Amino acid sequence: MPAPVIAAQSLVKTYKVKGKPDFVAVDGLSFEVAPGESFGLLGPNGAGKSTTMKMIGAVSTRSGGDLQILGLDPDRYGPEIRSRLGVVPQQDNLDGELNARENLYIYGRYFGLPGKVCHRKADELLAFAQLEDKATSKVDQLSGGMKRRLTIARGLINDPRILLLDEPTTGLDPQARHVLWDRLFRLKERGTTLVLTTHYMDEAEQLCDRLIVVDKGRIMAEGTPASLIREHSSREVLEVRFGSDRNAQVAERLQGIGDRLEVLPDRILIYTHDGETALERITAAGLEPITSLVRRSSLEDVFLRLTGRSLIE
């Protein structure tokens, strides 16, 4: 087996808080990422994902544990590691005064690449990002999806071994998201290692070979999207609505149907191997839901079961 390009063992990051105990943002994470793998970090806001990404990116020192990036300690070899990474931040930080090609050219010069190489790579990356016709357009004239594709292209200017993507499609419309997914699939096919955070569970299912679910700085689950669904959910989910004033009352009569039942304010979720059979049992009992839906269990069901449905900031 090839050596992992990222290896974290009992990784810890704490912050000093005046007058209070240290805040633990990352609490003993252990994971490995193989070369060419697409690896995801999922978790609610404040779970420690971005902090972990900063340590992987060698821009934040760890408080404890061990971390190796491309076989090097990022606390000792930060510049060497950063020269071999590509970074796509959560917010686009392109230079609005420059056009698309100039943004790529200038960024390549930061890495010490010769001007001729920067010109050639800028044209190649504009083609990769499907932005050839926008090469001379100022950044402010680009759509949100175009800016994200340009930011990804910029992160590839130094032929990185690892590309770090922090919520790469946040705020994009469905068409732009799918175009971006296609670009990332092409990078995977080239052997680039992808490490991404995302709040879109369908995106994680599409892009990630393997992922960890993090909450309060700790790993709640690890595996492929399919294995996590099998382990923490059912094959199908039946959603039924009887009205917000009746759901809790009706739920008592639904006990025993399916593997697990969850009562929400607007609907009841029944986790089961066969949603249609569960619905037949409900109607056979004389209960008629206002609406019903049988769907495939998803990574979002896993995520909400592991991290909860309440919004905690």
Side-chain angles (χ1 to χ4, degrees):
M1 293 292 291
V5 293
I6 300 173
Q9 184 65 42
S10 303
L11 187 62
V12 174
K13 180 66 178 181
T14 60
Y15 293 97
K16 298 290 184 182
V17 181
K18 187 175 180 179
K20 296 181 180 179
D22 290 352
F23 173 72
V24 182
V26 176
D27 191 6
L29 297 190
S30 297
F31 61 89
E32 292 185 349
V33 181
E37 186 174 28
S38 181
F39 185 81
L41 287 85
L42 273 62
N45 290 331
K49 306 184 303 298
S50 294
T51 302
T52 302
M53 290 284 270
K54 289 178 182 177
M55 289 188 283
I56 293 173
V59 294
S60 177
T61 58
R62 64 187 181 275
S63 304
D66 184 64
L67 181 61
Q68 297 286 313
I69 311 298
L70 299 170
L72 300 174
D73 183 338
D75 289 355
R76 297 179 58 195
Y77 299 98
E80 291 89 338
I81 291 171
R82 288 191 293 272
S83 70
R84 300 160 75 181
L85 298 180
V87 179
V88 179
Q90 189 173 12
Q91 300 294 329
D92 294 320
N93 56 358
L94 300 162
D95 192 326
E97 298 299 315
L98 303 178
N99 65 34
R101 178 182 282 116
E102 290 168 342
N103 265 274
L104 298 178
Y105 176 86
I106 295 298
Y107 201 68
R109 296 294 286 161
Y110 288 151
F111 284 95
L113 300 177
K116 289 184 179 180
V117 174
C118 290
H119 280 301
R120 174 177 56 80
K121 292 186 69 65
D123 288 337
E124 291 174 353
L125 290 169
L126 286 170
F128 170 79
Q130 296 180 310
L131 291 171
E132 302 104 312
D133 59 337
K134 300 294 182 180
T136 59
S137 298
K138 292 290 183 68
V139 166
D140 293 341
Q141 298 172 331
L142 303 179
S143 69
M146 292 176 183
K147 290 178 182 177
R148 289 310 272 167
R149 299 206 305 272
L150 182 59
T151 303
I152 289 177
R154 187 188 64 178
L156 298 171
I157 196 76
N158 60 324
D159 292 322
R161 293 275 307 279
I162 304 171
L163 183 62
L164 306 179
L165 303 114
D166 196 359
E167 299 186 27
T169 65
T170 295
L172 300 186
D173 60 46
Q175 289 87 353
R177 288 179 68 208
H178 281 271
V179 170
L180 205 56
W181 288 357
D182 176 68
R183 300 299 96 181
L184 295 177
F185 273 124
R186 290 170 185 256
L187 287 177
K188 280 183 58 179
E189 290 175 344
R190 295 180 184 182
T192 303
T193 302
L194 306 180
V195 180
L196 67 140
T197 71
T198 179
H199 285 299
Y200 297 122
M201 298 300 109
D202 59 334
E203 181 164 271
E205 286 192 58
Q206 287 284 337
L207 296 179
C208 295
D209 300 316
R210 196 165 49 87
L211 55 89
I212 55 175
V213 180
V214 181
D215 194 19
K216 299 186 176 89
R218 298 180 179 179
I219 294 178
M220 308 297 291
E222 179 177 358
T224 66
S227 69
L228 290 175
I229 291 172
R230 286 194 301 269
E231 182 178 354
H232 297 281
S233 192
S234 55
R235 190 170 73 90
E236 294 184 343
V237 181
L238 169 62
E239 299 187 7
V240 288
R241 287 180 166 88
F242 293 91
S244 56
D245 57 338
R246 294 189 61 221
N247 282 335
Q249 177 185 356
V250 172
E252 298 179 5
R253 299 179 59 184
L254 301 181
Q255 297 295 331
I257 297 178
D259 304 321
R260 183 168 61 90
L261 183 145
E262 188 174 4
V263 183
L264 305 181
D266 62 328
R267 64 196 186 279
I268 301 171
L269 304 183
I270 299 174
Y271 297 87
T272 178
H273 180 75
D274 187 338
E276 291 293 345
T277 298
L279 182 58
E280 290 174 2
R281 290 182 60 185
I282 290 173
T283 55
L287 298 171
E288 293 293 337
I290 299 171
T291 64
S292 62
L293 169 68
V294 176
R295 61 173 174 81
R296 181 181 67 89
S297 189
S298 70
L299 197 57
E300 185 162 322
D301 295 304
V302 174
F303 180 85
L304 291 172
R305 184 175 189 186
L306 292 173
T307 64
R309 292 182 179 271
S310 60
L311 186 61
I312 301 175
E313 296 292 350

